[in-house]
């Protein structure tokens, strides 16, 4: 049965829009594959260490030549890369923190990107379907005043497609802070509309992805 790799990175547990939308995708996926496998990583709960010198150098040294520190650091990289390589589809939930992704998600990316294996001329997970739920407190859409500050989808598109060779689709719920920031009260209707659209897109995408992965 197909395998879904599900990654959440929001530091917020209750009230997280990105988590709510990824949950809708996952539910639709499981409805199509009730016996399927879901590998779940909550990066806010079980944080992945940042890539260090041992993890970097260990990726370019044969197993028999690694030091104890390199072997330990690379073991984690190997585990994370294997999860990516074994997945039929990937689901990533991310908020926008200071115009970009959480450092926890960046740590995961740094661990799984290895030139000559997952990245390079023939990436080992090339063509895998990826859905990214990229929530943000305001709007950074084309034409919005803060469009130039959007470094979530712009960064992830380059990394996931350009380096890892994955097939990426974005779902972008906006104005998630409208209900809690008084100055954004006028955007509450837009927030509700954007969230409803994102949930609908996630359910549809989850079903479609499950069908494609089963082929």
């Amino acid at each position: 049965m197909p395998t879904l790799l599900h990654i959440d990175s929001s530091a917020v547990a209750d009230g997280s829009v990105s988590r709510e939308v990824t949950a809708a995708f996952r539910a639709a996926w499981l409805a199509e594959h009730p016996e399927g496998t879901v590998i779940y990583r909550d990066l806010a709960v079980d944080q992945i260490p940042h890539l260090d010198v041992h993890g970097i150098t260990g990726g370019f040294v044969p197993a028999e030549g690694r030091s104890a520190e390199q072997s330990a650091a690379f073991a984690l990289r190997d585990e994370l890369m294997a999860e990516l390589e074994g997945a039929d589809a990937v689901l990533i939930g991310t908020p926008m923190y200071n115009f970009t992704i959480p450092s926890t998600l960046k740590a995961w990316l740094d661990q799984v990107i290895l030139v000559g294996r997952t990245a390079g001329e023939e990436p080992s997970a090339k063509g895998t379907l990826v859905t990214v739920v990229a929530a943000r407190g305001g709007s950074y859409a084309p034409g919005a005043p803060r469009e130039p500050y959007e470094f979530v989808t712009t960064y992830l598109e380059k990394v996931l497609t350009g380096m890892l060779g994955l097939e990426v689709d974005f779902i972008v719920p906006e104005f998630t802070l409208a209900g809690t920031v008084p100055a954004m009260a006028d955007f509450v209707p837009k927030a509700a509309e954007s969230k409803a659209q994102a949930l609908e897109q996630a359910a549809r995408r989850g079903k479609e992805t499950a069908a494609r992965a089963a082929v």
Side-chain angles (χ1 to χ4, degrees):
M1 294 296 291
T3 297
L4 172 68
L5 174 59
H6 177 185
I7 298 169
D8 277 326
S9 62
S10 174
V12 178
D14 298 325
S16 165
V17 174
S18 66
R19 288 177 181 270
E20 187 174 347
V21 177
T22 59
F25 179 105
R26 178 171 172 169
W29 167 281
L30 287 174
E32 298 297 312
H33 298 301
E35 303 301 323
T37 299
V38 176
I39 299 173
Y40 182 56
R41 284 195 175 268
D42 187 335
L43 301 183
V45 175
D46 297 313
Q47 295 187 8
I48 293 170
H50 290 288
L51 186 63
D52 63 13
V53 64
H54 303 300
I56 293 172
T57 57
F60 299 98
V61 176
E64 62 275 12
R66 292 176 189 142
S67 66
E69 293 82 4
Q70 288 175 327
S71 294
F74 190 77
L76 173 61
R77 297 193 71 184
D78 189 52
E79 177 185 355
L80 297 173
M81 287 187 288
E83 289 178 353
L84 174 63
E85 292 164 338
D88 296 283
V90 180
L91 171 64
I92 299 173
T94 178
M96 175 186 280
Y97 291 160
N98 302 314
F99 306 130
T100 189
I101 62 175
S103 62
T104 51
L105 180 55
K106 180 60 163 60
W108 179 81
L109 285 166
D110 287 340
Q111 295 283 5
V112 300
I113 295 172
L114 179 61
V115 176
R117 179 171 170 179
T118 58
E121 293 185 2
E122 288 297 328
S124 54
K126 183 178 180 179
T128 301
L129 306 175
V130 181
T131 299
V132 177
V133 177
R136 61 277 316 277
S139 177
Y140 298 79
R146 287 199 167 186
E147 178 187 357
Y149 294 87
E150 208 289 338
F151 300 107
V152 174
T153 61
T154 51
Y155 168 70
L156 289 176
E157 192 277 332
K158 298 296 187 298
V159 171
L160 297 175
T161 63
M163 295 190 73
L164 297 175
L166 309 176
E167 183 179 325
V168 184
D169 181 64
F170 289 96
I171 298 174
V172 186
E174 297 186 315
F175 299 107
T176 62
L177 292 178
T180 57
V181 177
M184 296 181 65
D186 291 344
F187 294 102
V188 168
K190 286 186 175 293
E193 179 183 4
S194 183
K195 179 179 175 180
Q197 290 176 346
L199 288 169
E200 180 182 350
Q201 289 176 330
R204 182 174 64 252
R205 178 69 176 175
K207 183 176 181 179
E208 293 172 351
T209 303
R212 289 185 60 183
V215 175

